[in-house]
């Protein structure tokens, strides 16, 4: 069995966390990840309510040792009732990313949660360490959904491991046992994986989106702010998102200022399907068990070397 700081801290069978993905990782999905020995996160996305968080985590709290909730810091700033709901639930793991998260860390520590955030540069990592996170998520710009795009996963991971004395979990583009083996060999405590789970039966996403993910190949994603500007979402400066490129991003990417002046939201076929470069490796509709079995291969690969 692969043992790292992460598996010891949360008593996991595999050093892997399923990343919170707004609209995709609900309680049913996260529970299946937990049942299979990894750590499942429920996403509290842009439209989340305290009721949603309570409802989706109910079965996790009742049946699983380690599970988590992923918050968006800039949304919590607008809806403080979200952090209050999470404090009451006291999940074993809470991630608070993208925005001013520092004041939430002591509050979450007080209820016994382990706290982390996603960073994309050494400077951001140092700020997070000073704010008191228990471990760092080194999230490269090749990852799906939101984040910064300053650094790719591998250079960022090496930089943080060289410079900061905190456990580091790698994220962005890790989609197979090979990817997990690579980051563990480099010294990461585990992987934080989103896109690889997008075409799972248990993922709370429309079938059409899953099929688009399966069909996507190399070069089919784009890092852009055009979808957020079009949707009128207030992501803090410097945060864009990686999604499957489509007619909307073809039309508006690079013309965001113009778009801000004339609202034309991406809807229907043009709505964003957030996904990272790892989607090239998602080639069929599958189950969470299939994806976890694929990641288990990391152990054989590492033993071989
Ligand atoms: C569809 C989708 C939705 C996401 N939503 C969130 C979110 O609500 N909160 C969050 O912290 N990260 C979110 N992310 C980012 C993930 O936490 C993670 O950084 C990313 O999936 C890692 O890269 P990968 O997709 O290549 O595995 C999302 C990612 C995707 C693909």
């Amino acid at each position: 069995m692969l043992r790292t700081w992460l598996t010891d801290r949360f008593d996991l069978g595999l050093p892997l966390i399923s990343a919170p993905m707004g609209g995709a990782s609900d309680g049913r999905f996260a529970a299946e990840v937990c049942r299979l020995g990894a750590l499942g996160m429920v996403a509290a996305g842009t439209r989340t309510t305290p009721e949603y968080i309570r409802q989706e985590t109910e079965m996790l709290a009742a049946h699983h040792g380690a599970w988590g909730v992923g918050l968006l810091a800039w949304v919590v700033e607008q809806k403080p009732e979200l952090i209050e709901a999470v404090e009451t639930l006291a999940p074993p793991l809470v991630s608070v990313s993208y925005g001013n998260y520092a004041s939430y860390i002591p509050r979450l520590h007080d209820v016994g949660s382990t706290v982390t955030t996603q960073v994309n540069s050494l400077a951001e990592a140092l700020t997070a360490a000073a704010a008191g996170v228990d471990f760092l998520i080194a999230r490269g710009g090749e990852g799906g959904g939101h984040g910064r795009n300053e650094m790719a996963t591998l250079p960022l991971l090496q930089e943080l491991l060289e410079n900061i004395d905190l456990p580091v979990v790698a994220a962005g583009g890790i989609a197979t046992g090979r990817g997990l083996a690579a980051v563990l060999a480099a010294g990461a405590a585990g992987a934080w994986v989103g896109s690889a789970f997008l075409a799972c039966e248990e993922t709370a996403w429309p079938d059409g989106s899953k099929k688009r993910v399966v069909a996507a190949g190399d070069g089919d994603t784009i890092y852009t702010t055009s979808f957020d500007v079009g949707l009128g979402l207030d992501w803090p400066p410097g945060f864009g998102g990686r999604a499957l490129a489509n007619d909307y991003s073809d039309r508006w990417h690079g013309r965001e200022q113009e778009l801000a002046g004339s609202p034309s939201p991406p809807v229907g076929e043009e709505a964003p399907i957030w996904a990272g470069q790892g989607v090239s490796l998602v080639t069929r509709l599958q189950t969470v068990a299939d994806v976890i079995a694929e990641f288990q291969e990391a152990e054989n690969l590492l033993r071989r070397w």
Side-chain angles (χ1 to χ4, degrees):
M1 199 178 107
L2 293 166
R3 284 194 60 185
T4 68
W5 176 90
L6 189 73
T7 60
D8 286 355
R9 176 90 173 200
F10 294 106
D11 196 19
L12 305 176
L14 183 70
L16 188 137
I17 301 171
S18 66
M21 296 186 285
S25 32
D26 63 0
R28 172 174 170 253
F29 166 78
E32 184 62 358
V33 172
C34 293
R35 190 181 71 78
L36 293 160
L39 195 157
M41 302 281 287
V42 169
T46 48
R47 285 186 288 252
T48 303
T49 60
E51 293 69 41
Y52 175 87
I53 298 176
R54 279 194 284 271
Q55 177 194 311
E56 295 303 317
T57 57
E58 207 174 2
M59 64 179 128
L60 291 161
H63 298 294
H64 296 285
W67 52 279
V69 173
L71 293 163
L72 301 173
W74 66 273
V75 173
V76 179
E77 257 183 279
Q78 295 170 3
K79 296 189 206 169
E81 63 273 21
L82 295 179
I83 195 83
E84 286 153 21
V86 172
E87 276 177 311
T88 310
L89 292 162
L93 176 61
V94 181
S95 68
V96 205
S97 302
Y98 320 138
N100 300 317
Y101 57 80
S103 66
Y104 309 130
I105 297 175
R107 293 174 59 175
L108 293 163
H109 278 161
D110 280 351
V111 298
S113 297
T114 294
V115 188
T116 188
T117 192
Q118 302 181 67
V119 300
N120 187 245
S121 67
L122 179 57
E124 274 193 301
L126 290 168
T127 303
V133 296
D134 299 290
F135 69 96
L136 293 163
I137 298 159
R139 183 194 186 279
E142 58 268 65
H146 286 80
R148 294 190 199 275
N149 196 25
E150 307 300 318
M151 294 287 281
T153 304
L154 210 45
L156 177 67
L157 176 64
Q158 295 168 81
E159 207 182 1
L160 302 199
L161 290 170
E162 293 279 337
N163 289 290
I164 300 189
D165 195 18
L166 273 182
V168 181
V169 166
I174 302 166
T176 64
R178 293 179 197 279
L180 177 59
V183 299
L184 291 175
W192 170 273
V193 173
S195 297
F197 287 106
L198 284 175
C200 289
E201 208 171 90
E202 298 90 342
T203 307
W205 249 28
D207 283 348
S209 302
K210 294 180 188 179
K211 286 184 184 143
R212 295 271 310 279
V213 161
V214 168
D218 292 2
D220 286 347
T221 69
I222 183 169
Y223 180 85
T224 183
T225 55
S226 58
F227 292 115
D228 295 330
V229 172
L231 289 165
L233 294 173
D234 297 328
W235 281 88
F239 290 105
R242 186 171 290 282
L244 299 184
N246 65 13
D247 289 345
Y248 191 85
S249 59
D250 287 352
R251 204 157 63 245
W252 290 109
H253 179 65
R255 291 171 56 206
E256 283 83 356
Q257 273 187 332
E258 209 180 313
L259 181 58
S262 79
S264 159
V267 289
E269 284 286 296
E270 296 195 333
I273 296 180
W274 304 109
Q277 292 178 356
V279 282
S280 310
L281 292 149
V282 180
T283 53
R284 63 193 171 92
L285 298 173
Q286 54 202 338
T287 62
V288 169
D290 296 330
V291 176
I292 295 282
E294 166 54 40
F295 279 110
Q296 302 273 16
E297 278 302 305
E299 188 172 352
N300 291 332
L301 285 164
L302 289 167
R303 196 172 283 129
R304 202 167 88 197
W305 296 110

